[in-house]
Amino acid sequence: MSAGEPETGGVALSAPATPAFSPLYQQIKVLILQSLQAGEWKPSTAIPSEIELAGRFKVSQGTVRKAIDELAAENLLVRRQGKGTFVATHAERQIQYRFLKLIPDNGDPNSEGPAQRHIIDCKRTRASVEVAKALAIRTGDAVLQVRRVLSFANIPTILEDLWLPAAPFKGLTAERLRDYNGPMYALFETEFDVRMVRAEEKIRAVLPDAEQCELLKTDAKTPLLSVERIAYTYNDAPMEMRRGLYLTSKHYYRNALN
């Protein structure tokens, strides 16, 4: 290969329809994602070294490093100095709050300590048209519906309803949710082998109904921030629809735009 000529390597991949070409490191990133999706490397465990992966895929170590850099920037992998690269887990503090953007007015997300969680219900039901569309399942398919309240400094702040496809979460109950001390997404990882890797949200202001007022201890004239989220696992498979109502009298919603 002459100087300046792009590396092609020994990776055998079917050419995508559009675009016709993708950089080699992007192709290696896809292969690593496929291994993550297949469960070859579990959350919190180390992946092979860059040298080992370079040999496996028959590419340069620099190409592997660039692919891993992108996966680390997306919070799918975590580099640990002197130890290697590990599959990210929602049990890690820097990861577990990645999807929770509500920040206290003082700007310090650690000032209130972990949220206090109150699981109201976890029941099996049938997917509505809206839920089925969000989860890419059929209307009427079995789903689990969970309702909970998150409090900070003992003040009810977030009311959440979430819907999960029943099959991947077989055995999930309100008791299991109450007994688990870590983040809900960490429970999904460790007990159901489902890892949420990205989410899309829609945000609007709403007024609460009587039941929501009672659960959040607020009044019907106090506007709430409604955050509707669809969370995806690997390969962009939707695994959760969540609707949260946020009381923002002492908090604000913060997002970083790149």
Side-chain angles (χ1 to χ4, degrees):
M1 183 169 65
S2 61
E5 184 178 342
E7 179 184 14
T8 57
V11 181
L13 289 177
S14 57
T18 305
F21 170 81
S22 62
L24 186 57
Y25 80 90
Q26 288 282 358
Q27 299 176 50
I28 300 304
K29 178 183 175 182
V30 168
L31 291 177
I32 295 174
L33 277 170
Q34 288 175 354
S35 291
L36 290 169
Q37 183 181 3
E40 180 178 348
W41 311 308
K42 300 293 185 182
S44 79
T45 63
I47 69 170
S49 68
E50 292 177 1
I51 294 176
E52 291 172 314
L53 289 173
R56 173 173 170 171
F57 299 133
K58 298 181 174 58
V59 296
S60 71
Q61 188 176 345
T63 297
V64 171
R65 182 179 300 117
K66 194 168 183 179
I68 290 176
D69 284 344
E70 283 209 355
L71 291 168
E74 294 169 8
N75 293 302
L76 300 182
L77 298 176
V78 176
R79 292 188 183 275
R80 293 178 183 158
Q81 188 67 32
K83 295 183 178 180
T85 302
F86 293 75
V87 182
T89 169
H90 284 281
E92 296 184 46
R93 186 168 185 84
Q94 70 269 31
I95 302 296
Q96 64 181 256
Y97 295 114
R98 182 158 63 101
F99 294 156
L100 181 59
K101 304 295 186 180
L102 202 65
I103 306 296
D105 284 341
N106 63 17
D108 181 4
N110 300 313
S111 62
E112 298 173 313
Q116 300 97 47
R117 296 163 297 176
H118 172 50
I119 305 296
I120 298 171
D121 198 8
C122 177
K123 62 184 180 181
R124 188 181 178 95
T125 185
R126 297 292 176 182
S128 66
V129 173
E130 179 188 16
V131 170
K133 181 179 179 181
L135 296 179
I137 58 179
R138 295 175 300 180
T139 301
D141 280 357
V143 293
L144 295 176
Q145 182 178 354
V146 178
R147 169 168 275 200
R148 69 174 185 171
V149 173
L150 299 180
S151 299
F152 295 92
N154 296 315
I155 299 174
T157 305
I158 304 173
L159 170 61
E160 290 185 321
D161 288 290
L162 53 138
W163 294 264
L164 308 163
F169 295 95
K170 183 178 180 180
L172 181 64
T173 63
E175 288 72 26
R176 291 182 75 175
L177 288 168
R178 293 185 185 111
D179 291 343
Y180 190 79
N181 292 324
M184 185 180 289
Y185 283 173
L187 171 69
F188 293 169
E189 276 182 0
T190 56
E191 298 196 25
F192 300 96
D193 201 26
V194 174
R195 170 156 165 70
M196 306 301 186
V197 299
R198 76 174 189 89
E200 295 178 356
E201 294 184 337
K202 295 187 297 184
I203 302 174
R204 59 168 59 92
V206 300
L207 291 174
D209 61 26
E211 184 179 12
Q212 294 161 353
C213 285
E214 181 179 356
L215 290 170
L216 288 174
K217 302 188 185 308
T218 188
D219 60 72
K221 295 181 180 180
T222 300
L224 302 177
L225 196 64
S226 171
V227 181
E228 298 182 13
R229 175 196 304 167
I230 300 176
Y232 299 82
T233 187
Y234 300 113
N235 204 30
D236 273 349
M239 277 289 172
E240 177 199 64
M241 175 181 168
R242 182 181 300 218
R243 182 176 291 118
L245 294 177
Y246 292 57
L247 189 63
T248 58
S249 55
K250 296 185 178 181
H251 295 78
Y252 61 89
Y253 195 91
R254 183 176 69 188
N255 207 352
L257 303 177
N258 296 319

